[in-house]
Each structure stands twice: as structure tokens, then as C-alpha cells.
């Protein structure tokens, strides 16, 4: 039934994509993907040191962290376990995933994390000016309205703070991108999942291959100035990390 609905979605007159409920194994598959990548990158400590900006040191001291689009919570639980002095709020629109995450965190004895349901494109008012650090992994390009999510990021940060956003490293120039051998795989995954779930919600359907150039443009349109955005593209194969600094960053809160 699920494959049939996906097939219908790409026929003339079919619906614009299919929703997350038609991908019942996706959260577990994505958790496996993340696990393999993270094992090779000494995550979380290696990642936090790589993004710079005093993130590792601040997490050691203790800060408030928000993670949108947590999925099965592998990133959040890994970071929370490594940095017990910090507190974490991790959310996803998938209610089932959130309930599973709560059970797993309890089994692992991780007490400094709160899993809640939430919509990245419509952030909760009580989160305004409340967090030192926002960490995003692999979800921005799946959102129906990523521009809204990007605009909301500054609002949830304190006057000084940092956002890191891990996403796929591609070029918005499709011709240039096709010169890379992995392109066919990335476009295949993007077409059959990333674009589909976004379009099914009435979204823009960015897809995984939206590209660094478009990401930088959208961040600028969302209010992030040129001097506030740093892009790292060499440290994690096939991935780009966007580091956005509000105010004086973590140093401005005496946490650097």
C-alpha cells in the first residue's frame, strides 16, 4: 500500500508527495545513517570542537540547548550523555518518535533531556529568548516551510548564542553537482523522501540537494547577516555545517 501511494504521487494528476506516515521505517533508518556518520566523527565531542565558537567549552560548563527535528533522538541523547552539566530540550512533530525517545532516555539513565512534540515551522512562544545553543541535524531541507524555521532561530536564542545546522553538502547548480559521483544517490533519496514529505504538507519541497548557495541565500533572507554565518564543508564527507552566531555568541554570555 505504501509503495503504491508513493507511485501514485509521481503520476500525472497525483498528489504532491506523501507524508511521513507512509515511511514507517524512516526514523530507524535515519538513526542508523546518523550513527554510522557519527562513529566516524568522534561525535559528539569531536563535532562540538569542530564547529568552534566555544560550543564544546560552554557545554562542559552548562548551557540550555534546543534541538529541533530530533527524530529518534540519537544526537540529543549522545550530546546530553557526554555533557551532563547542560540541559536539553529536543522536539519533533512525530509523536510516536517522541514517546519512544522518552522511554529510551529513561533506560539509559539520561536525566538532563526533555523530549516534547513541536513544529519547527511554528516554534513555541515560551521558547523565546530562552536558549544558548540550537543544534540542527539533517532536517532543515525536509521541512515544508524552511524559511519560517530559519526566521524563528534567532528568536529562541538569548541575546547572545549560536546555532549549528548540519545538512547535505551539494551545489545549488545542478550541472556542477552532477560532476560528483555521489550525486545520483543523493538525488534519489531526495526525490523519494525529502521532497515528498515536504510537498505533502503543502511545502516548498527543497529536497536534500538544495545546495550551499541557496542555504546561504535563505539564511540571509531570514535575517542572518553575512558576518553571522560561517560554513564548514571539509570536515564531514558530503556534509556542510552552517554556524550562525547571534550577538557575541556564547562568549557574550560568559560561556566561551
Amino acid at each position: 500500500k505504501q509503495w503504491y501511494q508513493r507511485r501514485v504521487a509521481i503520476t500525472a494528476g497525483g498528489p504532491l508527495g506523501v507524508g511521513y506516515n507512509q515511511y514507517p521505517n524512516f526514523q530507524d533508518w535515519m538513526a542508523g545513517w546518523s550513527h554510522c556518520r557519527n562513529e566516524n566523527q568522534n561525535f559528539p565531542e569531536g563535532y562540538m570542537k569542530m564547529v568552534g565558537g566555544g560550543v564544546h567549552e560552554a557545554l562542559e560548563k552548562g548551557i540550555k540547548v534546543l534541538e529541533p527535528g530530533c527524530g529518534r533522538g540519537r544526537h540529543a541523547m549522545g550530546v546530553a550523555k557526554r555533557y551532563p552539566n547542560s540541559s536539553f530540550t529536543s522536539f519533533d512533530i512525530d509523536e510516536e518518535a517522541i514517546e519512544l525517545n522518552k522511554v529510551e532516555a529513561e533506560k539509559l539513565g539520561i536525566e538532563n533531556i526533555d523530549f516534547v512534540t513541536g513544529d519547527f515551522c511554528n516554534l513555541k512562544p515560551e521558547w523565546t529568548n530562552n536558549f544558548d545553543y540550537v543544534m540542527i541535524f539533517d532536517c532543515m531541507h525536509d521541512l515544508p516551510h524552511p524559511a519560517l524555521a530559519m526566521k524563528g532561530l534567532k528568536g529562541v536564542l538569548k541575546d547572545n548564542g549560536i546555532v549549528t545546522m548540519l545538512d547535505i553538502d551539494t551545489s545549488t547548480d545542478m550541472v556542477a553537482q552532477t560532476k560528483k559521483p555521489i550525486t545520483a544517490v543523493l538525488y534519489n533519496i531526495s526525490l523519494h523522501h525529502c521532497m515528498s514529505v515536504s510537498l505533502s504538507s503543502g511545502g516548498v519541497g527543497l529536497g536534500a540537494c538544495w545546495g550551499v548557495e541557496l542555504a546561504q541565500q535563505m539564511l540571509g533572507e531570514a535575517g542572518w547577516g553575512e558576518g553571522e554565518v560561517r560554513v564548514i564543508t571539509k570536515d564531514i564527507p558530503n556534509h556542510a555545517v552552517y554556524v550562525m552566531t547571534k550577538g557575541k555568541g556564547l562568549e557574550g554570555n560568559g560561556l566561551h
Side-chain angles (χ1 to χ4, degrees):
K1 178 181 178 182
Q2 290 146 1
W3 278 110
Y4 172 76
Q5 289 181 336
R6 290 176 220 171
R7 187 181 69 185
V8 169
I10 60 174
T11 60
L16 290 176
V18 293
Y20 277 105
N21 62 338
Q22 299 303 319
Y23 299 88
N25 301 318
F26 175 75
Q27 295 286 16
D28 289 331
W29 179 88
M30 192 67 210
W33 166 294
S34 299
H35 175 76
C36 292
R37 178 189 63 213
N38 293 345
E39 284 291 297
N40 292 328
Q41 299 298 322
N42 188 28
F43 186 89
E45 184 172 331
Y47 179 83
M48 297 308 171
K49 289 181 176 179
M50 181 266 293
V51 299
V55 174
H56 165 70
E57 294 81 3
L59 286 166
E60 290 272 34
K61 291 180 180 179
I63 55 175
K64 294 185 69 175
V65 182
L66 180 68
E67 186 202 14
C70 66
R72 281 305 317 275
R74 296 292 191 270
H75 293 101
M77 283 187 265
V79 181
K81 186 175 181 180
R82 170 59 185 82
Y83 298 100
N85 293 330
S86 292
S87 61
F88 298 81
T89 299
S90 193
F91 73 90
D92 199 279
I93 202 167
D94 186 335
E95 295 180 6
E96 181 180 0
I98 291 299
E99 293 307 312
L100 290 171
N101 294 348
K102 290 178 180 178
V103 172
E104 187 165 354
E106 185 175 357
K107 286 182 179 179
L108 294 172
I110 302 173
E111 298 180 348
N112 57 329
I113 187 167
D114 185 21
F115 284 107
V116 298
T117 56
D119 182 354
F120 196 175
C121 300
N122 187 21
L123 296 170
K124 298 178 186 291
E126 58 265 33
W127 290 343
T128 301
N129 200 36
N130 197 39
F131 296 95
D132 300 289
Y133 173 42
V134 179
M135 56 182 193
I136 308 165
F137 300 97
D138 303 304
C139 77
M140 186 63 76
H141 64 259
D142 285 340
L143 298 177
H145 306 292
L148 290 178
M150 290 181 182
K151 288 179 181 178
L153 289 172
K154 274 193 174 180
V156 297
L157 284 177
K158 295 178 181 178
D159 291 341
N160 302 291
I162 280 184
V163 178
T164 59
M165 180 177 77
L166 177 74
D167 215 291
I168 304 298
D169 179 17
T170 61
S171 172
T172 307
D173 184 339
M174 294 178 64
V175 175
Q177 180 60 36
T178 55
K179 297 177 182 178
K180 297 183 178 181
I182 199 172
T183 298
V185 174
L186 295 176
Y187 269 98
N188 189 22
I189 295 171
S190 181
L191 175 64
H192 289 94
H193 178 267
C194 307
M195 292 180 65
S196 181
V197 295
S198 175
L199 291 170
S200 72
S201 301
V204 296
L206 273 185
C209 300
W210 57 319
V212 172
E213 301 93 331
L214 179 57
Q216 290 177 299
Q217 176 187 324
M218 292 180 67
L219 285 168
E221 292 170 352
W224 292 95
E226 186 175 342
E228 296 178 315
V229 180
R230 200 164 35 91
V231 186
I232 303 168
T233 59
K234 304 297 184 182
D235 293 73
I236 305 177
N238 305 310
H239 288 78
V241 182
Y242 304 82
V243 183
M244 291 84 84
T245 303
K246 179 181 178 181
K248 296 181 180 179
L250 295 171
E251 184 179 17
N253 292 336
L255 296 167
H256 192 280

